[in-house]
Every structure is written in structure tokens, then in C-alpha cells.
């Protein structure tokens, strides 16, 4: 029987590379990885080619390139990167291109990496948190959530994959513990005592592989994933063990976080407020045990720290 090709958008990125590697690690699975990337000559793309993946160049802003890249694929993992351009409108346009291309290419199963449209819980006129860019509460959530409809409208058999906070943000996004005035390490997070659903980025792709293997059972379903639900204090304790010195948790007020001034601070502040204020909704939608069934290699936070803790910047 011919192998089923899974076209992996962003196959060199945080989420997609986990799926590509999961397929490559299981050559007898009946699936074959096709990496979709803007630059097929990049070092990451070349490394995946050397590992046995097919690599195809395409651009999310060019629907024709996506149709060509999806041709002959059984499945497609679709993801967009809001933080590359920070434009909700562009992200939605890219998602529509992905849905259109999947339909035109006859893809049998799409896994769309998405998030909640927070405006379902916090309407624009709700002043508990500021409205951003006139039309959004949490732009990088709301645009993805709004884009879910494009896949339904295109008639593409789709699984909506609800992702969550990457622990990798402690390495790459400036969210690592910082030195306080007394010289001690402080982990600042605007979460109060609420639990944060977190995951290792690589496990998103691995869970997606479990969904593709499950096939029809997941079409039309929404699947929320997480590696663990932890409070800020619990994360600080684990960080202290990994870094070899105490780490204190400070629950930063939402308004303070929004005022930090880095690009997207207001968006991130609103995101954490959504996590906090609707904690039962957010964590309840992300089932750790289901995630582990999809991906038996699922990391806990301490597992992730054992692998990646040495990469966390030290100040």
C-alpha cells in the first residue's frame, strides 16, 4: 500500500518540525513527510532532506504555490505564524489560502493548529481588558479562532487542534527568570494562582501525528492538548531545581504586564488575563491524558527542563 503523504506547513518551525520528525522516526507507520517551507535551501530544510523528508517551497501568501505543494497529499498540517508580522488580517488571509489550497488539492485530512476566539467570552465592548487594533481582544488568538470557519466553508475534512503556551518561550521569547534587585531569580507571570496549560513545542507536532494516525475518528473534532497544567509557583519550583538555585514566583498584575513595552506586550497581557479569568474553560479544553494517548512521549514540564533547561538564558 502506498504511503500517505502528510504535507507539513512550517515543517522547519517549532510545531511542524515535531510532526516531521515523528513521521521520520517511524518509517513503518504508512506515512511520509513533505516539508512545506518558504526557503528550501535553509539549513533546517536541508537537514530534513538529508533525514529523508521531501521538501517543497511555498508561500502562505501565495495560494497557487500552496495548491502545488499540497498536490497528491493525503493530509496537511496547517499553521500560521502571527509573531512574524503581527497582523491578524494577514494571518486570516493566510489561513484562508491554506483552506482553499487544501480543498483544491483534494486533501483528505487537515489538522489546523488554532486557538480560541476570545471574543466569545470577552466581547469588544467588555472593558475588563482593552480592545486592541479596534477589532480584537487577544489578536493572536482571535485571528486563528475566526479563521476556523474558512476550513468549514471550504468543506475540507478538518481537525481543530487547540494548542497552548510553549515552555520553549522560556528559551526563545524572553520569558526566562530574571535577576531581582536582591540578586535572586524571579519568574514573573501574570497568572495569579491559576494554572497555566503548557506544552513542549515538539509535542504539538507529535500529537498531530497521533491525530493523523487516528484518521476519520478525529475529523470534525476539536482536540485540545497540553503537557501539564501548572501554577506559576509550581513552575518556579521546577525551574529552581533545573537551574540549581531558588526561583521566586511573582504574580505580575495584567496592566503592568501590558505596559512592559516589548512588541506584543498588550496582546500577551490580554492572553494571560484570558488564561486566568477563564481558567476552567482554557485548561478544561486541554486534556493531558488525551495528549499522552496521542503522543506517548509527551513531556511534563520537568521532562522538558531535563532536555532544554540548559538553554534557558542565565542573567
Amino acid at each position: 500500500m502506498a504511503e500517505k503523504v502528510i504535507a507539513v506547513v512550517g515543517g522547519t518551525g517549532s510545531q511542524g518540525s515535531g510532526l516531521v520528525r515523528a513521521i521520520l522516526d517511524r518509517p513503518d507507520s504508512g506515512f511520509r513527510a513533505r516539508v512545506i517551507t518558504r526557503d528550501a535551501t535553509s539549513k533546517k530544510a536541508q537537514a530534513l532532506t538529508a533525514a529523508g523528508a521531501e521538501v517543497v517551497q511555498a508561500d502562505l501568501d501565495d495560494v497557487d504555490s500552496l495548491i502545488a505543494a499540497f498536490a497528491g497529499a493525503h493530509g496537511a498540517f496547517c499553521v500560521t505564524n502571527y509573531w512574524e508580522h503581527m497582523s491578524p488580517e494577514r494571518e486570516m488571509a493566510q489561513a484562508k489560502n491554506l483552506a482553499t489550497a487544501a480543498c483544491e488539492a483534494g486533501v483528505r485530512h487537515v489538522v489546523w493548529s488554532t486557538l480560541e476566539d476570545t471574543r466569545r467570552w470577552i466581547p469588544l465592548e467588555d472593558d475588563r481588558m482593552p480592545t486592541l487594533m479596534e477589532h480584537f481582544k487577544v489578536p493572536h488568538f482571535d485571528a486563528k479562532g475566526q479563521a476556523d470557519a474558512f476550513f468549514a466553508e471550504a468543506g475540507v475534512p478538518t481537525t481543530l487542534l487547540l494548542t497552548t503556551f510553549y515552555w520553549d518561550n522560556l528559551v526563545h521569547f524572553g520569558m526566562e527568570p530574571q535577576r531581582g534587585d536582591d540578586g535572586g531569580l524571579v519568574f514573573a507571570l501574570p497568572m495569579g494562582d491559576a494554572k497555566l496549560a503548557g506544552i513542549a513545542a515538539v509535542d504539538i507536532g507529535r500529537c498531530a501525528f497521533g491525530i493523523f494516525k487516528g484518521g476519520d475518528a478525529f475529523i470534525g473534532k476539536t482536540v485540545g492538548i497540553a503537557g501539564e497544567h501548572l501554577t506559576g509557583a509550581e513552575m518556579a519550583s521546577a525551574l529552581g531545581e533545573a537551574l540549581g538555585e531558588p526561583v521566586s514566583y511573582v504574580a505580575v498584575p495584567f496592566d503592568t504586564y501590558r505596559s512592559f513595552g516589548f512588541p506584543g506586550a498588550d496582546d500577551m497581557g490580554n492572553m494571560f488575563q484570558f488564561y486566568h479569568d477563564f481558567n476552567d474553560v482554557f485548561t478544561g479544553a486541554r486534556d493531558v491524558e488525551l495528549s499522552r494517548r496521542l503522543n506517548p512521549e509527551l513531556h511534563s514540564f520537568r521532562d522538558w527542563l531535563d532536555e532544554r533547561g540548559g538553554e534557558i538564558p542565565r542573567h
Side-chain angles (χ1 to χ4, degrees):
M1 185 178 294
E3 291 178 313
K4 295 176 178 178
V5 173
I6 304 298
V8 185
V9 174
T12 62
S14 297
Q15 296 187 29
S17 62
L19 172 55
V20 173
R21 290 291 180 182
I23 296 172
L24 292 174
D25 288 346
R26 293 161 183 81
D28 59 349
S29 68
F31 292 92
R32 184 159 55 87
R34 177 185 295 167
V35 175
I36 311 299
T37 181
R38 278 180 312 184
D39 183 5
T41 66
S42 72
K43 288 183 179 179
K44 288 181 179 178
Q46 290 177 337
L48 291 172
T49 299
E54 177 188 5
V55 177
V56 175
Q57 193 159 298
D59 191 318
L60 295 187
D61 296 312
D62 179 356
V63 68
D64 290 334
S65 74
L66 291 171
I67 294 170
F70 287 170
H74 167 83
F77 177 76
C78 293
V79 64
T80 51
N81 183 7
Y82 173 84
W83 298 106
E84 180 184 345
H85 46 71
M86 297 175 68
S87 166
E89 292 79 13
R90 185 176 175 190
E91 183 167 43
M92 285 189 285
Q94 290 178 340
K96 190 166 189 176
N97 285 345
L98 288 166
T100 299
C103 177
E104 291 291 326
V107 172
R108 302 285 298 276
H109 190 179
V110 165
V111 174
W112 162 234
S113 176
T114 189
L115 292 161
E116 287 88 346
D117 184 339
T118 66
R119 296 166 296 184
R120 291 168 53 197
W121 293 272
I122 316 169
L124 294 182
E125 62 272 15
D126 190 327
D127 61 5
R128 280 178 291 174
M129 67 172 63
T131 293
L132 306 178
M133 304 180 188
E134 297 184 20
H135 304 294
F136 304 96
K137 286 297 187 181
V138 184
H140 77 283
F141 270 57
D142 300 347
K144 285 186 174 68
Q146 186 172 332
D148 292 351
F150 298 143
F151 294 89
E153 290 163 4
V156 180
T158 301
T159 304
L160 301 179
L161 179 62
L162 290 174
T163 63
T164 192
F165 178 87
Y166 300 174
W167 294 320
D168 307 65
N169 289 332
L170 297 169
V171 175
H172 301 300
F173 206 76
M175 299 193 70
E176 71 276 5
Q178 306 282 337
R179 291 282 169 201
D181 292 340
D182 63 356
L185 285 175
V186 174
F187 180 53
L189 202 67
M191 283 295 294
D193 295 326
K195 289 183 179 288
L196 175 61
I199 197 165
V202 68
D203 283 329
I204 296 174
R206 289 175 178 169
C207 287
F209 187 43
I211 291 170
F212 282 119
K213 288 192 292 184
D216 291 349
F218 288 104
I219 288 174
K221 301 291 198 307
T222 298
V223 177
I225 57 174
E228 203 167 4
H229 301 159
L230 296 171
T231 64
E234 289 169 335
M235 292 181 72
S237 176
L239 282 163
E241 292 173 20
L243 298 177
E245 61 177 297
V247 176
S248 301
Y249 169 57
V250 173
V252 181
F254 307 122
D255 284 337
T256 301
Y257 198 90
R258 283 188 278 262
S259 72
F260 278 166
F262 63 84
D266 51 358
D267 188 337
M268 294 285 286
N270 281 10
M271 174 192 77
F272 283 118
Q273 186 173 349
F274 176 68
Y275 286 161
H276 177 275
D277 291 358
F278 299 90
N279 199 245
D280 289 346
V281 169
F282 192 82
T283 58
R286 288 156 173 81
D287 186 332
V288 175
E289 291 310 312
L290 171 60
S291 304
R292 187 169 288 110
R293 290 197 296 273
L294 291 170
N295 166 29
E297 300 172 68
L298 187 74
H299 292 75
S300 68
F301 186 47
R302 281 179 167 80
D303 293 337
W304 179 85
L305 285 168
D306 286 344
E307 287 187 13
R308 302 289 306 278
E311 301 173 49
I312 296 174
R314 302 291 292 269
H315 301 279

